Amino acid sequence: MARSSGEIREAFLRFFEAKGHRIVASASLVPEGDPTLLFTNAGMVPFKNTFLGVETRGYVRAVTSQKCMRVSGKHNDLENVGRTPRHNTFFEMLGNFSFGDYFKVEAIEHSWELLTECFGIDPSRIAVTVFREDDEAYDLWRKKIGIPKKKIFRLDEAENFWSMGDTGPCGPCSEIHIDFGANSACNSAVCDPACDCGRWLEIWNLVFMQFDRDAEGKLTPLPKPSIDTGASLERLASVLQGVPSNFDTDLFRGIMDRIQEISKIKRGANVEHDVSMNIVADHTRALVFLIGDGVLPGNEGRGYVLRRLLRRAARHGVLLGIERPFLFDIGDAVIDEMASAYPELRDRRAYITSRIQREEERFLETLSKGLVRLEEDLAQLEKSGSKVLSGEAVFKLYDTYGFPADLTADILAGRNLKIDEVGFNTAMTAQRERARAAWKGSGDKRAAEIYGRIASDISTQFSGYSALAGASTIRALLVNGESRDVASCGDTVEVVVAETPFYAESGGQVGDRGTLRVSGGEVKIADTQRPALELVIHRGVVTEGEVRVDAEAELAVDADARAATVRNHSGTHLLHAALRSVLGSQAMQKGSLVAPDRLRFDFTHDAPVDDGQIEAIEDLVNRWIEQNVPATVREMSYPEAIESGAVAIFNEKYGDVVRVVQFGDFSTELCGGTHAVATGEIGLLKILSESGIASGVRRIEALTGLGALNHLREQENALKAASELLRVPVADVPARIEKLLEDRRAAEREIERLQSAERGEASKDLSRDAKQISGVRVVAARVAGAGAKELRGMVDDLRSQLTSGIVLLAAETNGQVSLALGVTKDLTDRYRASDLIREIAMVVGGKGGGRPDFAQAGGSDPSKIDDALERLEELIAGS
Ligand code: ATP
Ligand code: MG
């Protein structure tokens, strides 16, 4: 009866498909458009708007195997992972959903049928829980299914009321547990499924979704009660394969083998080693899937979670005696295991493993230093007799050595010590605030509610792939976010119609602009947006008369702007294909902006793209343009599309039916955007710039069509102007400029030579005029047009001409005084240049200093230069 996890996943999906459910592909681990949630943490997350009635889909029953992460927020299992048999950070949640269709009866019947008939679990091993007040669910299990009373438990809200987060859809639930029989280690008075003794294993949770909870905690009934269920593949597999934990299932076999091979430690020999192996295996699965979904290590938000997981895993590697980067190797084993279910991992293999390796190397460099520091802290701690490491110490480890607090806590846990979490949090407040601000969301909830209401009874058809104009009825108007029947001249409006040729911003392509006309009124549309899947909002200003709900409108897209956007969008696809061809398939799209006047393309790549590569990319794209290859656009299911080699984009959310845009055999992408009929339309693609925008992410900006021509023309005009000024043909401009620069350098050298000759002459004159004071030859003179550097040169000249003597030169530049003073070596016992200059500088209101044989000074009073020169003579005469 032992089934492989692949078979379990497949059987689950097929079972519900046969019961009228649509099989929907897993969404990304990064939830789209939900800033309140770091990661998808349950199968229902991608359907949140469907449950809330904001979004409608072409079906009312769905079944999925959804990638989930529970490492943050309301559902955080991080501390449990590796230590309990049943918790993972990353896992796959199998679930069936009813969107206002069937409710409790079918949900309960289906689950029972699947577990007992299809999976063959002995009914006597099953126990269920219901929410204390949910008599309906109790009766269904008791009477309809026939579960004996002693196997049905009524539990409180803490156990049997499910919510996705602090706000959002929620409701009472009913959990299905496997009962492993009374456990001698259990010492609680009542051992029910809420007990943690190991007797019970929750495998499936059926949520009867009835409410939406708002920020104040108020529950509002959902438009139609719905069903959301979740059972992890990992737990089901552990039960159906009869193994003691998720980590002993076939999902982990290849991964554990690799860990044992590298560490040369056998599983089952030592409890702590087993825990470390579990953590390494679990966290590496999470790393692979997170990086595969476009998350990169960072210091905030999702990136920081990724970094923490990697560091914990690396640390547990050290506990297994592995002190070199190895997680990337485990990542390879994860991809081997999971690629049949997630083929995109295969394409991203090199990218994912190299990311892991790099981050690992970075961390291992500081790990040992950090551990030394921690040992010092712990020695101190022991002396003080405390069992709690201070918040500052924890923060210091975090800040200097990159030790996440949970890593430090994990290390301390092994020695029965704790960290001062409050103290750490205080020290972290600044960073936390920053991170929180970034995730707080935009406060768009009210707008979302209004759109939600509109979207629940209006859906907009898009006709703009083929048409740029069309007629339709106005279904709703919003002015300042309020629903209105009429909008008048000057109003800023949002218009909803039944069918529109306007493309709403998505997939990087900006929304269309244009005009909407009714009899007696006109709206200039500046932007088009899609706040819900089937709701299109035209934003603009009423420029004439008024517009009313139910009026017939003529909609016309700005055709020039659209055509320019189309060129840029198709250009982006060719650019993407050329990047992958020239740089390799690790160059994956990270984001893009496609507007009428420009295109921007962000992609993953580790090094700057050099000029030769840029040229090769431009050549390739323009050759494809020249070939005028027609576009083919097809619709198909997501798995079919991936199967056919289409490139899906990180973090994009795709429906079940996807659009595949293909140009020849070089570019196939999932894309909902508008495209050229054939590549020739693009005309020309010219790359303007290439730069780095984040670690491992590059950005290219480019132009197409007439935009590219205009850019080239501007450059040409600048060159022409240069050629006219230089009076040479354009082709000779660089050589001419080079020649001019060379001439200039020669002229500068000549000037320098003449000046120094002139100074030489001047020095000679001065040395001839040297005075004898107290038996010392003294030159004290003013020099015109010299700076500090020239003065120094002249002082040197004069010192050697005098053989023995003292020289003081002064110059004035820009109202400031420079002084330089030299003493020949034979006299430095009697006259120290640095002492003399101090006295003299005071005369011109300045300060100075230097060595015994040479000193310099500045001053602010040029009118006192003569006094300063005299002062030298006084000083020598007086000494
Ligand atoms: P537990 O109390 O065991 O942590 P839960 O109450 O948090 O479970 P739910 O939020 O109801 O679980 O999630 C639905 C299902 O997802 C569970 O029945 C279980 O099969 C699975 N599941 C939940 N958390 C994990 C996890 N960390 N690792 C693996 N599977 C999980
Ligand atoms: Mg849990």
Side-chain angles (χ1 to χ4, degrees):
M1 192 206 62
R3 286 166 183 261
S4 74
S5 50
E7 287 162 0
I8 298 169
R9 192 192 289 113
E10 186 69 12
F12 191 99
L13 297 174
R14 295 293 166 208
F15 174 85
F16 283 101
E17 186 183 41
K19 297 202 181 300
H21 292 64
R22 176 74 66 87
I23 299 180
V24 179
S26 174
S28 169
L29 280 171
V30 178
E32 158 146 341
D34 189 345
T36 61
L37 196 61
L38 276 191
F39 298 109
T40 302
N41 58 12
M44 59 76 63
V45 171
F47 299 113
K48 188 176 165 193
N49 280 339
T50 315
F51 283 119
L52 288 172
V54 174
E55 184 177 291
T56 51
R57 293 175 175 248
Y59 45 84
V60 291
R61 299 176 177 200
V63 58
T64 62
S65 172
Q66 173 64 47
K67 297 180 272 189
C68 291
M69 282 287 290
R70 292 196 170 184
V71 281
S72 57
K74 191 172 168 60
H75 293 282
N76 185 348
D77 290 334
L78 186 62
E79 302 304 329
N80 282 331
V81 168
R83 303 185 194 275
T84 75
R86 65 180 202 277
H87 288 104
N88 300 104
T89 56
F90 167 86
F91 61 95
E92 289 176 82
M93 193 183 281
L94 299 164
N96 56 295
F97 306 93
S98 150
F99 309 117
D101 186 41
Y102 63 81
F103 200 45
K104 285 183 200 178
V105 183
E106 291 88 335
I108 287 176
E109 281 177 347
H110 291 342
S111 65
W112 186 256
E113 183 187 334
L114 178 64
L115 292 179
T116 58
E117 289 173 31
C118 185
F119 287 149
I121 298 177
D122 177 356
S124 70
R125 295 179 66 201
I126 295 178
V128 300
T129 67
V130 298
F131 180 45
R132 196 168 292 289
E133 292 156 27
D134 194 352
D135 294 333
E136 195 188 351
Y138 186 94
D139 289 345
L140 283 169
W141 285 120
R142 180 70 205 87
K143 302 192 181 120
K144 192 122 194 169
I145 305 293
I147 297 190
K149 260 195 189 129
K150 63 175 196 305
K151 297 230 167 212
I152 311 178
F153 299 84
R154 286 178 184 264
L155 298 183
D156 292 329
E157 182 157 344
E159 301 293 334
N160 279 57
F161 198 90
W162 198 91
S163 40
M164 189 188 70
D166 292 336
T167 62
C170 57
C173 62
S174 177
E175 296 167 346
I176 304 175
H177 292 255
I178 299 295
D179 180 357
F180 287 95
N183 183 333
S184 58
C186 178
N187 46 22
S188 75
V190 257
C191 183
D192 62 17
C195 181
D196 247 348
C197 67
R199 169 171 180 176
W200 314 92
L201 174 66
E202 178 194 329
I203 52 168
W204 199 347
N205 193 355
L206 314 180
V207 181
F208 310 128
M209 208 182 285
Q210 282 170 273
F211 307 106
D212 179 20
R213 197 200 310 257
D214 71 12
E216 280 84 55
K218 204 170 103 269
L219 299 177
T220 318
L222 287 171
K224 295 176 191 161
S226 293
I227 290 296
D228 149 35
T229 85
S232 68
L233 175 61
E234 288 72 6
R235 288 193 195 173
L236 274 181
S238 76
V239 171
L240 297 180
Q241 294 171 6
V243 293
S245 83
N246 296 1
F247 301 100
D248 296 294
T249 64
D250 61 345
L251 284 162
F252 284 85
R253 195 163 304 138
I255 304 167
M256 288 300 183
D257 285 349
R258 190 76 60 96
I259 297 172
Q260 296 181 94
E261 207 177 285
I262 295 176
S263 66
K264 305 198 174 58
I265 293 176
K266 279 252 151 303
R267 255 172 86 71
N270 171 309
V271 181
E272 280 311 310
H273 283 161
D274 286 355
V275 168
S276 289
M277 286 190 194
N278 292 349
I279 290 177
V280 168
D282 172 87
H283 289 9
T284 311
R285 288 199 336 150
L287 299 177
V288 165
F289 278 91
L290 285 173
I291 298 174
D293 275 346
V295 181
L296 290 172
N299 281 328
E300 265 169 27
R302 297 179 178 121
Y304 190 55
V305 172
L306 173 58
R307 178 161 283 167
R308 271 166 51 202
L309 288 172
L310 184 137
R311 294 183 173 188
R312 277 174 69 116
R315 213 301 274 184
H316 281 278
V318 173
L319 290 180
L320 291 169
I322 314 169
E323 301 205 350
R324 57 183 164 81
F326 77 110
L327 294 173
F328 69 97
D329 203 349
I330 309 300
D332 233 12
V334 171
I335 295 173
D336 290 342
E337 189 66 51
M338 303 303 281
S340 57
Y342 298 92
E344 64 273 18
L345 292 179
R346 206 172 290 134
D347 298 341
R348 297 177 184 173
R349 185 190 290 268
Y351 172 76
I352 293 171
T353 52
S354 66
R355 283 282 141 190
I356 294 178
Q357 184 174 7
R358 176 168 338 159
E359 177 74 7
E360 224 184 333
E361 280 165 357
R362 249 180 83 166
F363 179 55
L364 287 177
E365 271 169 29
T366 54
L367 177 68
S368 48
K369 287 191 210 136
L371 287 174
V372 169
R373 161 86 196 209
L374 180 59
E375 285 308 327
E376 287 165 13
D377 288 346
L378 293 184
Q380 288 253 319
L381 198 64
E382 202 184 317
K383 253 186 251 154
S384 76
S386 162
K387 294 240 166 255
V388 183
L389 185 63
S390 77
E392 288 99 278
V394 179
F395 181 75
K396 185 89 199 157
L397 281 163
Y398 160 80
D399 208 33
T400 318
Y401 304 103
F403 277 35
D406 57 22
L407 174 63
T408 306
D410 196 55
I411 298 172
L412 264 59
R415 312 194 192 183
N416 273 325
L417 299 172
K418 279 198 185 135
I419 63 167
D420 170 7
E421 266 184 62
V422 177
F424 174 74
N425 286 340
T426 314
M428 276 287 285
T429 305
Q431 275 101 321
R432 279 276 163 79
E433 284 302 311
R434 212 172 54 218
R436 204 175 302 135
W439 291 111
K440 210 184 254 162
S442 47
D444 268 357
K445 186 151 167 65
R446 203 176 60 95
E449 274 167 16
I450 292 171
Y451 292 137
R453 236 179 289 131
I454 296 175
S456 63
D457 52 49
I458 303 174
S459 65
T460 314
Q461 295 295 317
F462 176 58
S463 61
Y465 285 130
S466 48
L468 287 182
S472 185
T473 316
I474 296 183
R475 301 294 307 275
L477 288 171
L478 295 176
V479 177
N480 298 329
E482 305 282 348
S483 216
R484 291 272 189 86
D485 286 334
V486 194
S488 351
C489 195
D491 282 348
T492 299
V493 279
E494 293 175 308
V495 189
V496 181
V497 298
E499 185 180 286
T500 183
F502 281 68
Y503 182 83
E505 175 172 341
S506 66
Q509 179 176 337
V510 301
D512 275 334
R513 54 200 196 209
T515 51
L516 178 151
R517 235 181 285 275
V518 292
S519 110
E522 187 186 81
V523 183
K524 280 244 173 304
I525 310 288
D527 188 18
T528 310
Q529 292 288 332
R530 181 189 290 277
L533 200 60
E534 294 182 32
L535 179 68
V536 175
I537 301 280
H538 305 78
R539 296 207 166 116
V541 176
V542 183
T543 48
E544 222 181 279
E546 56 173 40
V547 288
R548 285 181 173 274
V549 170
D550 289 338
E552 273 303 301
E554 291 289 336
L555 293 109
V557 173
D558 178 336
D560 289 343
R562 166 70 86 78
T565 303
V566 156
R567 280 193 291 273
N568 280 334
H569 202 157
S570 297
T572 304
H573 284 213
L574 301 198
L575 182 62
H576 191 189
L579 281 166
R580 289 168 69 96
S581 157
V582 173
L583 304 177
S585 64
Q586 80 291 343
M588 273 180 290
Q589 176 163 357
K590 265 298 256 182
S592 70
L593 172 75
V594 178
D597 58 339
R598 68 210 163 106
L599 74 86
R600 194 171 75 201
F601 189 79
D602 299 341
F603 58 101
T604 49
H605 187 60
D606 287 336
V609 186
D610 66 35
D611 290 349
Q613 290 169 323
I614 292 278
E615 224 165 77
I617 291 162
E618 278 181 347
D619 283 350
L620 193 51
V621 170
N622 286 296
R623 212 168 305 132
W624 288 329
I625 292 174
E626 230 172 47
Q627 288 162 3
N628 198 23
V629 181
T632 49
V633 179
R634 284 166 300 155
E635 294 199 333
M636 58 182 84
S637 73
Y638 179 83
E640 268 181 290
I642 297 297
E643 206 50 32
S644 81
V647 181
I649 310 301
F650 280 150
N651 296 346
E652 264 309 318
K653 177 177 172 184
Y654 296 105
D656 320 301
V657 179
V658 293
R659 224 169 146 256
V660 175
V661 177
Q662 182 169 3
F663 292 102
D665 57 0
F666 47 84
S667 164
T668 308
E669 287 196 30
L670 300 190
C671 182
T674 59
H675 281 278
V677 172
T679 54
E681 254 175 67
I682 301 166
L684 173 70
L685 184 138
K686 180 82 193 87
I687 294 176
L688 298 185
S689 67
E690 191 276 341
S691 57
I693 56 167
S695 155
V697 183
R698 313 291 306 174
R699 167 170 292 175
I700 278 185
E701 290 179 299
L703 296 173
T704 62
L706 286 181
L709 181 64
N710 279 334
H711 167 76
L712 293 175
R713 197 174 278 148
E714 275 167 25
Q715 307 268 307
E716 189 188 22
N717 286 342
L719 255 185
K720 266 194 205 148
S723 102
E724 275 159 27
L725 286 169
L726 297 169
R727 294 176 208 287
V728 295
V730 165
D732 296 346
V733 164
R736 189 62 208 251
I737 292 178
E738 211 160 68
K739 172 93 183 28
L740 284 173
L741 288 174
E742 182 45 45
D743 289 352
R744 199 181 120 144
R745 275 192 293 273
E748 278 166 359
R749 278 195 300 272
E750 180 60 13
I751 290 168
E752 172 62 26
R753 195 185 61 75
L754 290 171
Q755 280 176 342
S756 116
E758 208 171 286
R759 275 199 307 271
E761 284 304 312
S763 313
K764 262 185 221 142
D765 291 347
L766 287 171
S767 72
R768 251 178 261 123
D769 295 349
K771 289 184 191 163
Q772 283 281 353
I773 303 174
S774 309
V776 177
R777 298 181 73 192
V778 176
V779 174
R782 181 199 282 266
V783 185
K789 198 174 136 222
E790 284 83 34
L791 286 186
R792 180 181 192 131
M794 287 178 75
V795 167
D796 283 343
D797 288 351
L798 279 162
R799 263 195 310 192
S800 51
Q801 281 160 22
L802 294 175
T803 340
S804 171
I806 296 177
V807 182
L808 170 64
L809 297 180
E812 177 191 343
T813 30
N814 305 328
Q816 295 291 315
V817 182
S818 305
L819 299 172
L821 192 150
V823 179
T824 52
K825 282 265 155 61
D826 57 315
L827 299 175
T828 49
D829 291 348
R830 289 158 58 200
Y831 305 103
R832 296 170 65 88
S834 44
D835 294 342
L836 293 173
I837 200 90
R838 248 190 306 279
E839 297 277 328
I840 296 165
M842 278 190 316
V843 180
V844 288
K847 278 199 194 111
R851 303 186 313 252
D853 62 332
F854 182 79
Q856 270 178 307
S860 54
D861 189 355
S863 69
K864 296 274 165 52
I865 287 182
D866 290 336
D867 297 346
L869 297 173
E870 257 166 48
R871 182 80 185 123
L872 173 71
E873 296 176 13
E874 282 167 29
L875 286 169
I876 294 171
S879 66

